[in-house]
Amino acid sequence: MERQRSFSFKPTRLLVFSFTIFSSILFLSTFTTWLTNFTPSNHQHIHLHFNTSSTSTSTANTSSSSSVGDGDSVALPPLFVHSLTENFTLSGEKISTLIDNRLSRTQESLSGSKSEPVRHDVGASNVNFTAMREYGTSPERVPGNEQKKIVTGGLDGNTQVPFLKKIEQKGVEGCDLTKGYWVFDESYALYSKDSCPFIDEGFDCVGNGRLDRDYSKWRWQPKDCDIPRFNATKMLELIRGKRLVFVGDSINRNQWESMLCMLLGGIKDPSRVYETHGRKITKEKGNYSFRFLDYQCTVEYYVSHFLVHESKARVGQKRRPTLRIDAIDHGSSRWKGADVLVFNTAHWWSHYKTKAGIYYYQEGSVVHPQLNVSTAFRKALTIWSSWVDRHINHRKTRVFFRSSAPSHFRGGDWNSGGHCTEATLPLNETLLSTSYPEKNIIVEQIIEQMKTPVTLLNVTSLSAYRIDGHPSVYGRKTRSSRIQDCSHWCLPGVPDTWNELLYFHLQSR
């Protein structure tokens, strides 16, 4: 019988086996480290060449169209993408699907990350970036070119183009909401003229004959963070059983009407929302209180052009209108007890409306023969801040002050032929005014000195882009090119963004 062998290693074989295992581990560790430290500088670049001659339509799920003229082309530098593969070319048909900027939809499709639009400055290449139009328009069809650009622009058509980049969502803590850009988002507007009966004639651009709708589809995107989309139901819960009060001039009425329309989207039965005095919103009436029965809350507006008392005084042989810059508006008793207060004033502080400061500003029994508007504005805001500190309980009431909203008159003022009717796209950065309004600086200085916490709702910079958002000749049914409104805003439109910022601040408390 054959003798059974014993299973054992000789010393030499054991040494060879151990060396082989050690070498394999060392090789795998070295290879893994090399892959981890591999830098993008070793990558080749993919040059994305855009086919400017393409006339194919986008794959977006819409069917309406609009014309794109030669002057609407956008210059864009080549886009470089790091890769280990060879250079290749993408046609215009495929790249259009990459830049479909409907961020709310894209974010839902990304797994565990968010999309952020990134601007590319105007460069040397001429490229038409397009996206489909929707929301009930009937533009002329241009054969072979049935798409709508997603660019922002100005009177000259030059602009930056929003682009999608897959990144992690950034938090809003410490984010500067005033720095960003407008992104065309076809999921906007948040409401329509037909869904909201609270838009008065002055802001009802669609009802007054404006045909284009793009001005209502731009969404503000801060550079360093994302802000939540307005949710009417959540906002109504935030103000359940409370008073949300807007106080100020007609620009604040603009924002207040916007808020009513946005909140109505969270109400199943619109008949359960009514004005407590049965008033219809017009320019003539200045005080309104709308009750939302299902939430036992009110959303109110009180007109106060200056926040201080408009009066009359005898100057010589006549009684003249004056402004008591030492006394709060007599309607201030109505502001008390509010849970959220949104103030503004700026629109009426002009030399025209304050009679150039000549025998207009009054303190006590003294009517100043002449006073600088900035000095008077500071005095008035000091009176307002004293009233807030004395009468508002900051443990109950959130206080906001909205900054000035810019006008966009070209070629004159509102009463001297100023116009903005030709603007259908936002301005680009090269056409913006770089000066920060002195009135905003005064407001910030006053707020810093107050005992009551006041949140500055700064909408000046973001609104400065939006020359396309004004009623222009569509502020009334009887249109005249000689009278244009480039101060107020169409609804739906830019004031909806102001309310999204307000919603964000109320959520963040």
Side-chain angles (χ1 to χ4, degrees):
M1 179 180 294
E2 186 178 13
R3 187 176 181 179
Q4 187 177 2
R5 292 184 180 181
S6 62
F7 185 78
S8 62
F9 277 109
K10 293 183 179 181
T12 304
R13 291 179 179 177
L14 180 62
L15 181 61
V16 172
F17 180 78
S18 301
F19 178 78
T20 302
I21 295 298
F22 176 79
S23 299
S24 299
I25 295 173
L26 181 62
F27 174 79
L28 289 174
S29 300
T30 304
F31 183 72
T32 302
T33 303
W34 178 80
L35 283 179
T36 303
N37 296 330
F38 187 77
T39 60
S41 61
N42 296 326
H43 295 198
Q44 296 180 11
H45 290 91
I46 297 174
H47 299 264
L48 300 186
H49 301 286
F50 301 98
N51 186 353
T52 59
S53 63
S54 172
T55 58
S56 299
T57 59
S58 172
T59 57
N61 295 324
T62 56
S63 59
S64 44
S65 62
S66 67
S67 60
V68 179
D70 294 337
D72 293 326
S73 61
V74 179
L76 192 70
L79 176 65
F80 297 102
V81 180
H82 296 298
S83 174
L84 292 171
T85 62
E86 294 295 325
N87 294 351
F88 67 98
T89 300
L90 288 181
S91 67
E93 293 93 299
K94 291 184 179 180
I95 198 63
S96 65
T97 64
L98 293 177
I99 61 170
D100 191 352
N101 70 322
R102 305 339 180 212
L103 293 185
S104 60
R105 300 178 184 179
T106 306
Q107 289 172 354
E108 293 174 0
S109 66
L110 295 175
S111 175
S113 61
K114 295 289 182 179
S115 295
E116 179 189 35
V118 177
R119 285 182 309 181
H120 290 275
D121 292 333
V122 175
S125 302
N126 291 323
V127 185
N128 284 333
F129 284 97
T130 59
M132 301 299 291
R133 179 198 290 270
E134 64 175 12
Y135 191 72
T137 57
S138 55
E140 296 179 2
R141 283 186 178 272
V142 177
N145 196 357
E146 298 180 351
Q147 298 171 311
K148 184 66 183 178
K149 295 193 287 89
I150 62 172
V151 300
T152 60
L155 301 182
D156 59 357
N158 295 326
T159 183
Q160 290 81 28
V161 181
F163 194 83
L164 294 182
K165 177 183 177 183
K166 187 175 180 181
I167 62 168
E168 294 296 326
Q169 184 179 19
K170 298 178 181 178
V172 293
E173 185 176 355
C175 174
D176 187 348
L177 300 178
T178 67
K179 294 181 179 178
Y181 39 91
W182 290 92
V183 178
F184 191 92
D185 189 334
E186 65 183 10
S187 68
Y188 281 67
L190 297 171
Y191 57 91
S192 68
K193 164 188 164 51
D194 295 334
S195 69
C196 183
F198 304 135
I199 305 173
D200 77 53
E201 182 185 17
F203 312 142
D204 185 10
C205 299
V206 173
N208 294 332
R210 183 166 180 172
L211 297 179
D212 67 296
R213 301 291 187 273
D214 283 359
Y215 65 89
S216 67
K217 292 182 173 296
W218 295 96
R219 176 177 57 79
W220 179 247
Q221 175 64 54
K223 289 182 178 179
D224 300 321
C225 61
D226 298 319
I227 56 175
R229 181 184 176 93
F230 186 87
N231 185 302
T233 303
K234 289 183 178 179
M235 181 64 181
L236 285 164
E237 287 293 347
L238 286 173
I239 61 172
R240 180 185 285 275
K242 298 179 179 179
R243 294 176 61 203
L244 169 57
V245 175
F246 292 82
V247 179
D249 56 30
S250 56
I251 309 296
N252 237 24
R253 179 166 55 87
N254 219 168
Q255 185 179 358
W256 167 73
E257 288 183 27
S258 162
M259 178 61 78
L260 288 176
C261 291
M262 292 166 77
L263 290 177
L264 198 61
I267 300 297
K268 294 181 180 179
D269 183 1
S271 67
R272 294 180 63 79
V273 180
Y274 62 92
E275 209 286 318
T276 56
H277 298 96
R279 293 173 177 168
K280 181 181 178 181
I281 301 175
T282 67
K283 292 182 178 181
E284 287 71 33
K285 302 288 184 180
N287 302 318
Y288 299 95
S289 175
F290 275 80
R291 176 166 292 278
F292 290 71
L293 278 177
D294 295 336
Y295 292 85
Q296 291 300 303
C297 63
T298 56
V299 182
E300 307 167 35
Y301 167 71
Y302 298 101
V303 62
S304 182
H305 300 127
F306 301 98
L307 300 182
V308 289
H309 182 52
E310 296 180 63
S311 182
K312 287 187 176 181
R314 185 170 295 280
V315 178
Q317 301 299 317
K318 297 181 179 180
R319 285 183 61 81
R320 297 178 47 160
T322 61
L323 187 64
R324 289 288 304 271
I325 55 177
D326 62 340
I328 196 71
D329 190 310
H330 285 183
S332 59
S333 59
R334 297 170 176 171
W335 316 340
K336 294 180 182 180
D339 298 276
V340 181
L341 272 168
V342 184
F343 291 99
N344 97 296
T345 185
H347 190 53
W348 282 57
W349 291 90
S350 66
H351 286 297
Y352 177 84
K353 295 193 175 185
T354 59
K355 315 298 182 185
I358 299 174
Y359 289 108
Y360 185 75
Y361 301 116
Q362 180 180 356
E363 292 184 274
S365 59
V366 176
V367 180
H368 295 281
Q370 190 165 4
L371 191 64
N372 178 271
V373 65
S374 296
T375 302
F377 183 76
R378 184 181 294 275
K379 286 177 177 287
L381 263 291
T382 301
I383 293 300
W384 165 81
S385 66
S386 298
W387 181 89
V388 170
D389 282 340
R390 189 180 309 115
H391 295 282
I392 298 301
N393 179 0
H394 69 271
R395 293 182 180 86
K396 177 184 185 295
T397 304
R398 287 288 304 273
V399 182
F400 294 86
F401 196 103
R402 182 179 53 74
S403 67
S404 61
S407 298
H408 288 95
F409 291 99
R410 297 291 186 266
D413 210 339
W414 67 273
N415 58 349
S416 59
H419 59 88
C420 56
T421 187
E422 70 275 28
T424 58
L425 290 171
L427 295 170
N428 65 33
E429 290 181 345
T430 61
L431 297 176
L432 290 178
S433 172
T434 57
S435 60
Y436 192 61
E438 182 185 15
K439 294 183 182 67
N440 283 3
I441 297 174
I442 294 173
V443 168
E444 293 174 7
Q445 291 172 344
I446 294 295
I447 289 176
E448 288 177 359
Q449 299 169 4
M450 295 175 65
K451 294 184 297 183
T452 305
V454 176
T455 301
L456 179 66
L457 201 63
N458 196 333
V459 304
T460 305
S461 298
L462 64 90
S463 303
Y465 291 93
R466 297 304 308 278
I467 187 173
D468 60 314
H470 299 290
S472 184
V473 296
Y474 303 107
R476 60 184 70 190
K477 287 183 170 61
T478 304
R479 296 190 296 278
S480 170
S481 59
R482 294 177 299 174
I483 303 175
Q484 297 193 24
D485 184 352
C486 304
S487 294
H488 297 95
W489 305 87
C490 295
L491 294 179
V494 175
D496 303 336
T497 296
W498 306 347
N499 283 324
E500 284 196 297
L501 296 180
L502 177 62
Y503 169 65
F504 160 72
H505 283 294
L506 290 173
Q507 276 192 315
S508 304
R509 184 168 187 174

